[in-house]
Amino acid sequence: MIIENQAMVTDAVVEAVSRTEDPRLREILQALVRHLHGFVREVRLTEREFQQAAGIIVAMGQKTTPSHNEVVLMAGSLGVSPLVCLLNNGNNGQTETQANMLGPFWRDDQPLSASGDTLVRSPTPGPGLVVHVCLKDANGRPVAGAEIDVWHSSPEGLYENQDPTQAEMNLRGRFISDDAGCFHFRSVKPAGYPIPVDGPVGELVRATRRHNFRPAHLHFMVYKSGFKTLISQVYSPDDPHIDSDVQFGVTRALIGNYVRHDEPSPELGFAAPWYSLDQRFTLEAGEARRPAAPIRAKAPAAT
């Protein structure tokens, strides 16, 4: 097709991608072209702005390393990650769900731990935390033999693969649910933390006059054949940023009941204050699939 005016560009590209054999890929590409071209027309994107946008995309790629994923960070900061999550869970976005974003710091080689173990693998000051988790199916029956990955940031707001001072796999573990569908573990209470703002995401956050904090949370990923893999985060309601998450991840279903205890627990080895959390997850029937880890290396020590 010989292009005679701006309107013909979209028609030409839509026609070109219509020859894509895979029907789902064809649907995605055609919609992408229509919406992308519509966006350019709506804002009347200038050539200079287009060059700046291309530079941002390049910078996200350059900023992404084995220990940092700027693209995932940007997707959350624009609300794309939570939107995709909510559209694909809870009866395809029709009902409340306990699903949440994977986030950029999960590792796919977390160590297998016994129920009752601690996640603390190097000195990590902070209030003690004991968490009891039970899994049920849609009919309320226990889900035994599920693999559950647990991970979270330190009370200083850093995951171990961000922080060279933490031991390998600190505040991480993988558990197997028992016949009652349950397990428990000990750790320290996580804290809220700032997302990195030394790249394109930081420029976005500053331009929109937002803070760059995520509220405190625990990560869970539940994997069991016959069930859709549940990726979740359970947020602490006492965090000052619970209603202004820079990654737009907090829903009512994900605010946990972290109970404060003001007497020490010799049994758990906790000084006061310490916290407990009883968490229940309901699994949806579906495909069990492990995601690809967003990063694959620990951040290097500062020199």
Side-chain angles (χ1 to χ4, degrees), residues 146-171:
E147 293 183 24
I148 308 95
D149 281 31
V150 183
W151 70 102
H152 66 88
S153 69
S154 72
E156 294 183 348
L158 293 171
Y159 292 83
E160 61 83 20
N161 49 0
Q162 289 179 292
D163 183 6
T165 68
Q166 293 185 48
E168 184 78 359
M169 295 294 177
N170 190 43
L171 306 180

CSV table of all heavy atoms in Angstrom, one decimal, residues 146-171:
chain,number,residue,atom,x,y,z
A,146,ALA,N,1.2,-28.8,48.5
A,146,ALA,CA,1.5,-27.6,47.6
A,146,ALA,C,2.9,-27.1,48.0
A,146,ALA,O,3.3,-27.1,49.2
A,146,ALA,CB,0.4,-26.6,47.8
A,147,GLU,N,3.6,-26.5,47.0
A,147,GLU,CA,4.9,-25.8,47.3
A,147,GLU,C,4.5,-24.3,47.4
A,147,GLU,O,3.9,-23.7,46.6
A,147,GLU,CB,5.8,-26.0,46.1
A,147,GLU,CG,6.3,-27.4,45.9
A,147,GLU,CD,7.3,-27.5,44.8
A,147,GLU,OE1,8.0,-26.5,44.5
A,147,GLU,OE2,7.5,-28.6,44.2
A,148,ILE,N,5.0,-23.8,48.5
A,148,ILE,CA,4.8,-22.3,48.8
A,148,ILE,C,6.1,-21.6,49.0
A,148,ILE,O,6.8,-21.9,49.9
A,148,ILE,CB,3.9,-22.1,50.0
A,148,ILE,CG1,2.6,-23.0,50.0
A,148,ILE,CG2,3.6,-20.7,50.2
A,148,ILE,CD1,2.7,-24.3,50.7
A,149,ASP,N,6.4,-20.7,48.1
A,149,ASP,CA,7.6,-19.8,48.2
A,149,ASP,C,7.2,-18.6,49.0
A,149,ASP,O,6.1,-18.0,48.8
A,149,ASP,CB,8.0,-19.3,46.8
A,149,ASP,CG,8.9,-20.4,46.1
A,149,ASP,OD1,8.6,-21.6,46.3
A,149,ASP,OD2,9.7,-20.0,45.3
A,150,VAL,N,8.0,-18.3,50.0
A,150,VAL,CA,7.8,-17.1,50.8
A,150,VAL,C,9.1,-16.2,50.8
A,150,VAL,O,10.2,-16.8,50.8
A,150,VAL,CB,7.5,-17.5,52.3
A,150,VAL,CG1,7.2,-16.2,53.1
A,150,VAL,CG2,6.4,-18.5,52.4
A,151,TRP,N,8.9,-14.9,50.6
A,151,TRP,CA,10.1,-14.0,50.6
A,151,TRP,C,9.6,-12.6,51.0
A,151,TRP,O,8.4,-12.3,50.8
A,151,TRP,CB,10.8,-14.0,49.3
A,151,TRP,CG,10.1,-13.4,48.1
A,151,TRP,CD1,10.3,-12.2,47.5
A,151,TRP,CD2,9.0,-14.0,47.3
A,151,TRP,NE1,9.5,-12.0,46.4
A,151,TRP,CE2,8.7,-13.1,46.3
A,151,TRP,CE3,8.3,-15.2,47.4
A,151,TRP,CZ2,7.7,-13.3,45.3
A,151,TRP,CZ3,7.3,-15.5,46.4
A,151,TRP,CH2,7.0,-14.5,45.4
A,152,HIS,N,10.5,-11.9,51.5
A,152,HIS,CA,10.1,-10.5,51.9
A,152,HIS,C,11.4,-9.7,52.1
A,152,HIS,O,12.5,-10.2,52.2
A,152,HIS,CB,9.2,-10.4,53.1
A,152,HIS,CG,9.8,-10.9,54.4
A,152,HIS,ND1,10.5,-10.1,55.3
A,152,HIS,CD2,9.8,-12.1,55.0
A,152,HIS,CE1,10.9,-10.7,56.3
A,152,HIS,NE2,10.5,-12.0,56.2
A,153,SER,N,11.2,-8.4,52.2
A,153,SER,CA,12.3,-7.4,52.5
A,153,SER,C,12.7,-7.4,54.0
A,153,SER,O,11.9,-7.9,54.8
A,153,SER,CB,11.9,-6.0,52.1
A,153,SER,OG,11.0,-5.5,52.9
A,154,SER,N,13.9,-6.9,54.2
A,154,SER,CA,14.3,-6.8,55.6
A,154,SER,C,13.6,-5.6,56.3
A,154,SER,O,13.0,-4.8,55.6
A,154,SER,CB,15.8,-6.6,55.7
A,154,SER,OG,16.1,-5.2,55.2
A,155,PRO,N,13.7,-5.5,57.6
A,155,PRO,CA,13.2,-4.3,58.2
A,155,PRO,C,13.8,-3.0,57.8
A,155,PRO,O,13.3,-1.9,58.0
A,155,PRO,CB,13.4,-4.5,59.7
A,155,PRO,CG,13.4,-6.0,59.9
A,155,PRO,CD,14.1,-6.5,58.6
A,156,GLU,N,15.0,-3.1,57.1
A,156,GLU,CA,15.6,-1.9,56.5
A,156,GLU,C,15.1,-1.6,55.1
A,156,GLU,O,15.4,-0.7,54.4
A,156,GLU,CB,17.1,-2.1,56.4
A,156,GLU,CG,17.8,-2.1,57.8
A,156,GLU,CD,19.3,-2.2,57.7
A,156,GLU,OE1,19.8,-2.5,56.6
A,156,GLU,OE2,19.9,-2.0,58.7
A,157,GLY,N,14.2,-2.5,54.6
A,157,GLY,CA,13.5,-2.3,53.3
A,157,GLY,C,14.3,-2.8,52.1
A,157,GLY,O,14.1,-2.3,51.0
A,158,LEU,N,15.2,-3.8,52.3
A,158,LEU,CA,16.0,-4.4,51.2
A,158,LEU,C,15.8,-5.9,51.1
A,158,LEU,O,15.8,-6.6,52.2
A,158,LEU,CB,17.4,-4.1,51.4
A,158,LEU,CG,17.8,-2.6,51.3
A,158,LEU,CD1,19.3,-2.4,51.7
A,158,LEU,CD2,17.6,-2.1,49.9
A,159,TYR,N,15.6,-6.4,49.9
A,159,TYR,CA,15.6,-7.9,49.7
A,159,TYR,C,17.0,-8.3,49.6
A,159,TYR,O,17.9,-7.6,49.3
A,159,TYR,CB,14.9,-8.2,48.4
A,159,TYR,CG,13.4,-7.9,48.4
A,159,TYR,CD1,12.9,-6.6,48.2
A,159,TYR,CD2,12.5,-8.9,48.7
A,159,TYR,CE1,11.5,-6.4,48.2
A,159,TYR,CE2,11.1,-8.7,48.7
A,159,TYR,CZ,10.6,-7.4,48.5
A,159,TYR,OH,9.3,-7.2,48.5
A,160,GLU,N,17.3,-9.6,49.9
A,160,GLU,CA,18.7,-10.1,50.0
A,160,GLU,C,19.4,-10.0,48.7
A,160,GLU,O,20.6,-9.8,48.7
A,160,GLU,CB,18.8,-11.5,50.6
A,160,GLU,CG,18.1,-12.6,49.8
A,160,GLU,CD,18.9,-13.1,48.7
A,160,GLU,OE1,20.2,-13.0,48.6
A,160,GLU,OE2,18.3,-13.7,47.8
A,161,ASN,N,18.7,-10.1,47.6
A,161,ASN,CA,19.4,-9.9,46.3
A,161,ASN,C,19.6,-8.5,45.9
A,161,ASN,O,20.2,-8.2,44.8
A,161,ASN,CB,18.7,-10.8,45.2
A,161,ASN,CG,17.2,-10.5,45.1
A,161,ASN,OD1,16.6,-9.8,45.8
A,161,ASN,ND2,16.6,-11.2,44.1
A,162,GLN,N,19.2,-7.6,46.7
A,162,GLN,CA,19.5,-6.1,46.6
A,162,GLN,C,20.7,-5.8,47.5
A,162,GLN,O,21.3,-4.7,47.3
A,162,GLN,CB,18.3,-5.2,47.0
A,162,GLN,CG,17.2,-5.2,46.1
A,162,GLN,CD,16.1,-4.2,46.7
A,162,GLN,OE1,15.5,-4.5,47.7
A,162,GLN,NE2,15.9,-3.1,46.0
A,163,ASP,N,20.9,-6.6,48.5
A,163,ASP,CA,21.7,-6.1,49.7
A,163,ASP,C,22.9,-7.1,49.9
A,163,ASP,O,22.7,-8.2,50.4
A,163,ASP,CB,20.8,-6.1,50.9
A,163,ASP,CG,21.6,-5.6,52.1
A,163,ASP,OD1,22.7,-5.2,52.0
A,163,ASP,OD2,21.0,-5.6,53.2
A,164,PRO,N,24.1,-6.8,49.5
A,164,PRO,CA,25.2,-7.7,49.6
A,164,PRO,C,25.5,-8.0,51.1
A,164,PRO,O,26.2,-9.0,51.3
A,164,PRO,CB,26.4,-6.9,49.0
A,164,PRO,CG,25.7,-5.9,48.1
A,164,PRO,CD,24.4,-5.5,48.8
A,165,THR,N,25.1,-7.2,52.0
A,165,THR,CA,25.4,-7.5,53.4
A,165,THR,C,24.5,-8.6,54.0
A,165,THR,O,24.9,-9.2,55.1
A,165,THR,CB,25.2,-6.2,54.3
A,165,THR,OG1,23.8,-5.9,54.4
A,165,THR,CG2,26.0,-5.1,53.7
A,166,GLN,N,23.4,-9.0,53.4
A,166,GLN,CA,22.6,-10.1,53.8
A,166,GLN,C,23.1,-11.4,53.3
A,166,GLN,O,23.6,-11.5,52.2
A,166,GLN,CB,21.1,-9.9,53.4
A,166,GLN,CG,20.4,-8.7,54.0
A,166,GLN,CD,18.9,-8.7,53.6
A,166,GLN,OE1,18.2,-9.7,53.7
A,166,GLN,NE2,18.5,-7.5,53.2
A,167,ALA,N,22.9,-12.5,54.1
A,167,ALA,CA,23.3,-13.8,53.7
A,167,ALA,C,22.5,-14.2,52.5
A,167,ALA,O,21.4,-13.8,52.3
A,167,ALA,CB,23.2,-14.8,54.8
A,168,GLU,N,23.1,-15.1,51.7
A,168,GLU,CA,22.4,-15.7,50.6
A,168,GLU,C,21.1,-16.4,51.1
A,168,GLU,O,21.0,-17.1,52.1
A,168,GLU,CB,23.3,-16.8,50.0
A,168,GLU,CG,22.7,-17.5,48.7
A,168,GLU,CD,22.9,-16.6,47.5
A,168,GLU,OE1,23.4,-15.5,47.6
A,168,GLU,OE2,22.5,-17.1,46.4
A,169,MET,N,20.0,-16.0,50.4
A,169,MET,CA,18.6,-16.5,50.7
A,169,MET,C,18.1,-16.1,52.1
A,169,MET,O,17.1,-16.7,52.6
A,169,MET,CB,18.6,-18.1,50.7
A,169,MET,CG,18.9,-18.6,49.3
A,169,MET,SD,17.6,-18.2,48.1
A,169,MET,CE,18.3,-18.9,46.6
A,170,ASN,N,18.6,-15.0,52.6
A,170,ASN,CA,18.0,-14.5,53.9
A,170,ASN,C,16.6,-14.0,53.6
A,170,ASN,O,16.3,-13.4,52.6
A,170,ASN,CB,18.9,-13.3,54.4
A,170,ASN,CG,18.4,-12.8,55.7
A,170,ASN,OD1,18.2,-13.6,56.6
A,170,ASN,ND2,18.4,-11.5,55.9
A,171,LEU,N,15.7,-14.3,54.5
A,171,LEU,CA,14.3,-14.0,54.5
A,171,LEU,C,13.6,-14.6,53.3
A,171,LEU,O,12.7,-14.0,52.6
A,171,LEU,CB,14.1,-12.5,54.5
A,171,LEU,CG,14.8,-11.7,55.6
A,171,LEU,CD1,14.6,-10.2,55.5
A,171,LEU,CD2,14.4,-12.3,57.0
